[in-house]
Amino acid sequence: MIGQRLEVRQGQGLVITPQLQQAIKLLQLSNQELDEYVDAELEKNPLLQREEAEGTPDEGREAPADATELSFSDAEAPDRSSTVDAREDDVYGDATPGERTSDRLSDEAAEQPGLSDWSAAGKGGSFNDGDGGERPDRHDPTLWEHLQAQASTAGFSTTDHAIALSLIDGVDDGGYMRGELAEIADRLGCDLARVEAVLAICQGFEPTGVMARSVPECLKLQLIERNRFDPAMAIMLDNLELLARRNLVALRAACGVDAEDLADMISELKALTPRPGAGFAGEVAQTVIPDVHVRPDPAGGWRVELNTDTLPRLLVDKRYHATVSAAARSETEKAFVADCAAQANWLVKSLDQRAKTILKVGSEIVRQQDAFLAFGVEFLRPLNLKTVADAIGMHESTVSRVTSNKYVSTPRGVFELKFFFTAAIQATDGGATHSAEAVRHRIKSMIDHEGRDGDVLSDDRIVEILKEAGIDIARRTVAKYREALRIPSSVERRRLLKTG
């Protein structure tokens, strides 16, 4: 039987206000994206004013006390480690109940469907304050973006991925790697041989010939891919100056070929691309601007500071607000002025809270990964979002949001904050865990030194050795790490050892 009836139900729900959506959005934006967003808000809201970089605000312009100064270099941090600078912002431990409730609501709101992907408004995108349906502008990937995407799917370990990103940063518009390998190795604190090994893998990326260090090497990579690199071609690449001068007699003599073969070889060279990166989007890849700076402290440890050079500083123009409020006559005009004032105050407070949250998360990451800063990339510690969230009293979703699209400048280079989160492997005695990257490095080291005694280590034997060292690891995990390092199986390595 179909009928109608009236029921009263009681339940709990979370109302996502526009201001809460705005706070979630701001937290995930990089400084560059934030500046674009603030420019758009300045266009819409006449009560907002950008504070000048130097000088004091005009009389009549007021901002919340926490928002008028965004220099955190002299703030204090909880005394949790002797390696981190003791002068971080201690305001986070003194949050009011209202602030903690607001933070919790923001965390819960971010987990609701449709609200967590504010990062979709990525580089070059615009934002819609209405239903959030406006999508970022589409653009062809740059060479830098194309190489980064390939590095992310190449199966690199954490260490090798960091090396690959540093190498990619040294690629010019033509596709050539202009960075000095020795300088990169020294900056990252790793062996030059490891940097060279990562470069060899990166030179297998598309387009063929990319990340070569010279024209002959670029052409060599393309010839190898076409299976056309032979001793005669190798000699020709070593004597390209003869080809440039059209000294074909000397070139033919050097290569040891006749005139017909030489003509074929020249035709093959003409079919190659001396600038493999030229086919990508003409726009220059945007330089990454760090959101946080980490510097050695003369007193010991590390200083963690916000990059205030790119941080927008806004004020609410109270004088103009009073003027337009007095001039407003209709209810519509009064409502518009009141809405502008509320939005302006909320934005200023949200920007201040965003800055404090980024500094708080960045400081804890530095505290956890101080060994990397001091000794190099092989000393990354196991770290996950929950560890950082628990240490600073925030939700994991907030930490995840803060570390998206945020970069930190360190003495070892510029890294995304997410770079510092690495997996952990349990110790056999139940004690301290081991970084997955450190275990991968140990596996590679063991295999690099095998064969000297005629013994090739199987995956099972590697598991036994690691367990003897206190590392509890499964055989399938060893195999996964070995394959990620592009190391053949023990059967293939034994065969290569015999043939070599």
Side-chain angles (χ1 to χ4, degrees), residues 106-158:
S106 297
D107 296 334
E108 295 171 355
E111 295 174 346
Q112 302 301 317
L115 291 177
S116 61
D117 193 21
W118 288 108
S119 62
K123 292 181 176 61
S126 56
F127 303 98
N128 189 326
D129 291 326
D131 58 7
E134 187 170 341
R135 299 186 179 276
D137 297 334
R138 299 293 182 182
H139 70 281
D140 294 331
T142 63
L143 178 61
W144 185 77
E145 293 169 338
H146 182 65
L147 295 176
Q148 273 210 327
Q150 293 180 81
S152 298
T153 59
F156 282 129
S157 66
T158 304

Side-chain angles (χ1 to χ4, degrees), residues 176-222:
Y176 288 89
M177 217 294 292
R178 301 302 186 187
E180 293 292 336
L181 301 191
E183 186 275 332
I184 293 174
D186 181 66
R187 175 161 51 84
L188 295 179
C190 59
D191 296 334
L192 176 60
R194 187 162 194 175
V195 177
E196 292 173 341
V198 173
L199 176 61
I201 296 174
C202 292
Q203 288 179 340
F205 291 170
E206 293 292 335
T208 306
V210 75
M211 298 189 71
R213 289 162 289 181
S214 63
V215 173
E217 186 177 36
C218 176
L219 300 178
K220 174 184 175 181
L221 293 172
Q222 296 178 59

